[in-house]
Each structure stands twice: as structure tokens, then as C-alpha cells.
Amino acid sequence: MSFTVGYCTNVHAGMDLPAIRQNLLQYAVPVQSSLPIDTPLGVGLWLPAQAAGECFDGGAKPLRHFLDEHRLEAFTINGFPYDNFHQDVVKHRVYQPTWWDLSRLTYTKQLAVILTELLPQSQTVGSISTLPIGWASDKVTAEQLEAAAENLRQLAEFLAALEEQTGRRIVVAIEPEPGCILDTSQDIVDWFDKHLDKPMHRRHITVCHDVCHAAVMMESQADVLQRYASAGITIGKVQVSSAIVAEWDAMSLGRRQEAIEQLSKFAEDRYLHQTGRITGDDQFALTEDLPALISRAPASGDPACGDKRWVVHFHVPIFLERFGHLTTSQDEVRDCLRTLLRSDSSIDFTGHLEVETYAWSVLPDAMRKRSLAEDISEEIRWLRRELIDCI
């Protein structure tokens, strides 16, 4: 199986095309220059609605020329964040608009058309990741869910017509995320079985497997990937990402307190940091945001409140194994790669690997010792080494 490796540019702020081009010049071009192999650098473009509208209305040829000039290849697009992903507080706003909102459908269609123009000749398929319908809430109705399913079916028809017109197959990959309407691999399988059961649907609507998200939900990487294969669901993209892990059972009470102090530096205001927990009675529980756990003051004096393990949705550098009393889910990345590399052809995968460490700007200062371009370069190098080691 061959892979295309790149990094997701949602790490960079920028709402319009001039800002996006400037970010690519400032960060992606130095990353490409620093890598040992003189080949184009894969980039997962993030085009928020404003930039997507500009590119769609004016045509993508100028952006394609810019990418070619600087040896950058846009093989995938992150279509999950619709609006400003770098405002002071994002949290639940990233799940708007939902998939029952027509503006989400219009936006994703625009991205698909743009990607047909940007996709390099080396790629037979282009991928676009998208949100898992919306945030889970008691207020979500059956009518809204059916409207979301109908919008996705309409999207599949649009993508089929686009392939017929352009010869480019674009797949949209639904990305399960903790706390959302679809947050486990079984949720994805059930949704496809109920709403996207035709071959045409599944040719163009796929799944985006985010390694960190599965780790937070305590799902085995191998089990998840094989579940999709058994269900006949294509993996449109794998987002290579790593979570924070607190192994409370391995710590003394004093070290637990120090670990909580470490974690408090990650309980920031911009992004949502859902936390999967293994409780004292070995049950799985999901807490919506890390600050809610940090602020607990148990009478027992145990800052972990008797939990055995936490996995926090905070995308930390994939080359990082541990820091202080905390570790990362780096081994989950290796498990994912091994499964993809060593599996038979039952896993239908585009080969798109996108490093998605979008949280560099909110990492504690002590973890940001180099320039952003240098850190991204090290992530790409680490991933390429792991792909060789996992064979």
C-alpha cells in the first residue's frame, strides 16, 4: 500500500486567500525545504467558508499555480472547521453549521470543485474531511438527522456527477469525534447501514479516521479499521494525531497532584478537550471538557477521583512520547500504521495520511521551543521513519 503524507494547515490562522498563501509561504515552504527528500510536500488545506467562496468564485487556477511553484501538493482538504478556527473561543462553535444545515452542503460542494482543480496528477482520489453530523444534544430531532442524511446523499450524487465531468474522484470523509452524534466507529457503521447503503453513496462518502479521537474513546486502532473494512466503508483519510494520557494507576498520590498541575496548563479556553476516562470500576466515561475535571475537589484528596486512566483530546506533537508525569497516545499511531501496512486488501484506504497537530498555538510555552516550521518538519520526519519501521 502506498501513502501520501502531509500536514493539515488548520494550524495556521487565516480567513481569506491572501492570508492562506502567506501562511503557506511562511510555514509550508520552509517545511518542504527542510525535508531530506527533494519531493513536493503534501498539504491538507484548510479553506474556511470565506476563502472557499473566494476560490470557488474566482477559480482555483491561481492557487494551483502558487502550489506548483512552491512544490506543494494539495491532496486533501480539512472541511470540518467552517469558520474562524483561531478565534479566542472556538469550543462547540466548530460543530456549526451542522449537516442538516444547507450551508454545510453548499460549502462542501465548493471544496469538492476546488479540489478537482488543485489535485496533483499523482493522485487518483482527493479527500475532504467533515464533521460527524453535529454535536450530540437532547435537542437534536429525528427530522434533523434525516435532513442531514439526505444532504449527504445529495452530496454523493453531486460528487458522482463531478467525477463524470472531471474524471476526478473526490471523497468526503466523515470524522467521528468524542461527544458528537457519531463518536465511535460503531456509530459510523450504523449511520452508513441506515442512511448510506448504496454503492454510489459509499464510493463518495467515506470515513476519516482520527487516531487521537479513537484513543480518547478507548477504541483499539486495529478493531476500528477492521470494523470499517467489514462494513464495506472506505477510509478516505487518516488524521495522524496524538492525545495526552494520564495513567493514574501508575502514580503515587503526590505524583497525581503534580500531574493535575501539568494538565491544568492544557485546560485552555479556545478548543474543546473531551476526556475519556476509565473509572475505578473499569467503566468508560466521557467528560465534555478537561477544565471540568481539573476543577473537581474530591473529599478523598485524590485529584483523579478514583479514575484509573484519562485520555485527553488535545492534539500534541506526534513525535512526543512523554513529558513530566504524563504520556501520549503515540503507540496508538504506531498501531494504526501497522494495521494499515500489514493488513490484506480488505481495508479500502486512499493512502492519505494527514498530520493534524492543530493545537501548537495553545500548547504550554515549555513545549514550544523551536519554530512552528521546525516542529512540523520533525513531525513529518517522525511519521516517515515510523512508516519504514512498521513494515
Side-chain angles (χ1 to χ4, degrees), residues 128-180:
I128 301 170
S129 50
T130 191
L131 81 161
I133 313 305
W135 182 255
S137 166
D138 292 339
K139 297 180 181 179
V140 176
T141 67
E143 290 77 12
Q144 288 173 323
L145 294 177
E146 180 51 44
E150 177 58 26
N151 281 342
L152 285 166
R153 289 189 291 266
Q154 286 188 30
L155 177 64
E157 293 174 1
F158 176 84
L159 295 174
L162 191 63
E163 182 179 16
E164 179 72 19
Q165 176 187 350
T166 66
R168 297 286 175 104
R169 178 188 172 199
I170 305 299
V171 300
V172 170
I174 301 172
E175 180 184 341
E177 179 170 318
C180 289

Side-chain angles (χ1 to χ4, degrees), residues 118-378:
L118 298 182
L119 197 64
Q121 290 299 321
S122 60
Q123 297 293 316
T124 59
V125 180
S127 59
I128 301 170
S129 50
T130 191
L131 81 161
I133 313 305
W135 182 255
S137 166
D138 292 339
K139 297 180 181 179
V140 176
T141 67
E143 290 77 12
Q144 288 173 323
L145 294 177
E146 180 51 44
E150 177 58 26
N151 281 342
L152 285 166
R153 289 189 291 266
Q154 286 188 30
L155 177 64
E157 293 174 1
F158 176 84
L159 295 174
L162 191 63
E163 182 179 16
E164 179 72 19
Q165 176 187 350
T166 66
R168 297 286 175 104
R169 178 188 172 199
I170 305 299
V171 300
V172 170
I174 301 172
E175 180 184 341
E177 179 170 318
C180 289
I181 290 169
L182 308 178
D183 69 356
T184 67
S185 57
Q186 190 59 53
D187 288 340
I188 289 286
V189 170
D190 292 345
W191 182 270
F192 272 71
D193 285 348
K194 183 176 181 179
H195 299 293
L196 300 167
D197 58 339
K198 294 181 180 179
M200 183 269 291
H201 298 154
R202 297 191 179 205
R203 178 168 177 80
H204 296 285
I205 308 299
T206 64
V207 65
C208 171
H209 174 64
D210 188 296
V211 178
C212 169
H213 295 178
V216 171
M217 297 303 293
M218 311 280 184
E219 291 196 272
S220 158
Q221 300 292 319
D223 288 351
V224 168
L225 297 174
Q226 291 296 339
R227 182 170 291 118
Y228 294 144
S230 298
I233 299 171
T234 297
I235 300 169
K237 171 162 64 175
V238 169
Q239 286 184 327
V240 182
S241 54
S242 189
I244 299 171
V245 180
E247 299 284 5
W248 300 117
D249 268 4
M251 300 183 204
S252 65
L253 191 60
R255 288 190 174 183
R256 289 182 188 183
Q257 185 57 55
E258 292 171 358
I260 284 289
E261 291 172 3
Q262 269 191 273
L263 280 171
S264 67
K265 297 175 183 178
F266 293 88
E268 52 82 34
D269 294 331
R270 179 172 295 164
Y271 300 118
L272 202 62
H273 300 298
Q274 305 95 310
T275 302
R277 301 159 42 222
I278 297 297
T279 62
D281 56 356
D282 293 317
Q283 299 298 305
F284 175 80
L286 182 68
T287 297
E288 183 173 303
D289 205 1
L290 179 61
L293 293 176
I294 298 296
S295 64
R296 293 189 307 182
S300 65
D302 176 8
C305 290
D307 289 345
K308 295 182 176 181
R309 189 172 194 254
W310 291 357
V311 182
V312 183
H313 178 214
F314 194 119
H315 289 207
V316 291
I318 61 173
F319 55 73
L320 192 63
E321 182 179 10
R322 64 165 50 245
F323 50 104
H325 299 306
L326 303 171
T327 59
T328 72
S329 59
Q330 187 187 73
D331 279 345
E332 300 279 343
V333 174
R334 293 192 178 97
D335 288 345
C336 177
L337 297 179
R338 289 191 195 100
T339 302
L340 293 171
L341 283 163
R342 300 176 185 179
S343 69
D344 56 28
S345 59
S346 64
I347 297 180
D348 185 13
F349 176 39
T350 61
H352 292 182
L353 296 175
E354 179 186 46
V355 179
E356 201 213 8
T357 308
Y358 62 80
W360 284 106
S361 64
V362 292
L363 278 173
D365 290 340
M367 297 180 69
R368 290 179 286 166
K369 298 179 180 179
R370 298 173 293 189
S371 72
L372 180 57
E374 289 174 313
D375 283 325
I376 293 170
S377 297
E378 180 56 30

